[in-house]
């Protein structure tokens, strides 16, 4: 059976999943939290990561050296623009982004250096 990083890589390279993708030009893993919970973690009998909880999955990411990326968003001064940005940000809050220097789409050979802490 494949190690966690290999499973994650194969999932990102597959077209089967809509809830997880490469972002930042292949340097980060983006996850739509709600969709991922249904599409990946909620699969009966065909679990990919042996868990049904997003917390357990993110613990696995952290154990392999992934760090959560913060989104830097500039806020507008005007109230209508600010409220529109807040609405967009709440939609984006469902998107989790994780980074690991050894997990890069352009450098698949680094995958072997992605070890559990």
């Amino acid at each position: 059976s494949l190690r966690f990083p290999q499973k994650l890589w194969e999932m990102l390279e597959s077209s089967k999943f809509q809830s997880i993708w490469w972002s930042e030009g292949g340097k980060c893993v983006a996850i739509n939290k709600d969709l991922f919970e249904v599409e990946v973690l909620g699969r009966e009998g065909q679990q990919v990561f042996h868990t049904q909880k997003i917390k357990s999955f993110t613990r696995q990411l952290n154990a392999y050296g992934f760090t959560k990326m913060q989104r830097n968003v500039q806020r507008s001064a005007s109230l209508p623009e600010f409220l529109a940005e807040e609405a967009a940000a709440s939609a984006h809050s469902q998107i989790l982004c994780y980074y690991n220097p050894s997990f890069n789409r352009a450098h698949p050979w680094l995958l072997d250096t992605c070890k559990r802490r």
Side-chain angles (χ1 to χ4, degrees):
S1 107
L2 296 174
R3 290 174 40 241
F4 179 83
Q6 280 90 356
K7 286 181 190 177
L8 185 61
W9 186 283
E10 285 192 2
M11 182 174 275
L12 287 160
E13 290 295 309
S14 161
S15 58
K16 284 189 233 169
F17 302 97
Q18 304 303 305
S19 61
I20 186 167
W21 63 94
W22 290 104
S23 73
E24 306 296 324
K27 292 183 173 86
C28 292
V29 176
I31 302 163
N32 178 316
K33 184 177 165 283
D34 291 345
L35 186 56
F36 188 80
E37 286 177 313
V38 173
E39 183 183 55
V40 178
L41 301 178
R43 299 175 92 188
E44 291 295 320
Q46 322 172 321
Q47 287 183 330
V48 181
F49 295 108
H50 306 293
T51 185
Q52 293 178 306
K53 295 183 174 29
I54 193 77
K55 263 189 171 164
S56 299
F57 177 76
T58 54
R59 256 189 242 115
Q60 279 279 71
L61 285 168
N62 293 328
Y64 279 93
F66 286 83
T67 54
K68 189 174 181 182
M69 303 295 290
Q70 296 300 324
R71 295 177 167 273
N72 293 336
V73 181
Q74 296 291 322
R75 296 289 184 213
S76 292
S78 79
L79 184 60
E81 284 180 24
F82 177 80
L83 293 174
E85 288 169 1
E86 281 299 302
S90 71
H92 273 298
S93 70
Q94 295 303 317
I95 308 295
L96 308 173
C97 291
Y98 286 89
Y99 170 77
N100 180 327
S102 298
F103 199 87
N104 185 316
R105 189 178 197 178
H107 307 295
W109 57 89
L110 288 176
L111 195 56
D112 289 337
T113 67
C114 204
K115 303 272 188 239
R116 191 175 177 91
R117 290 181 179 164

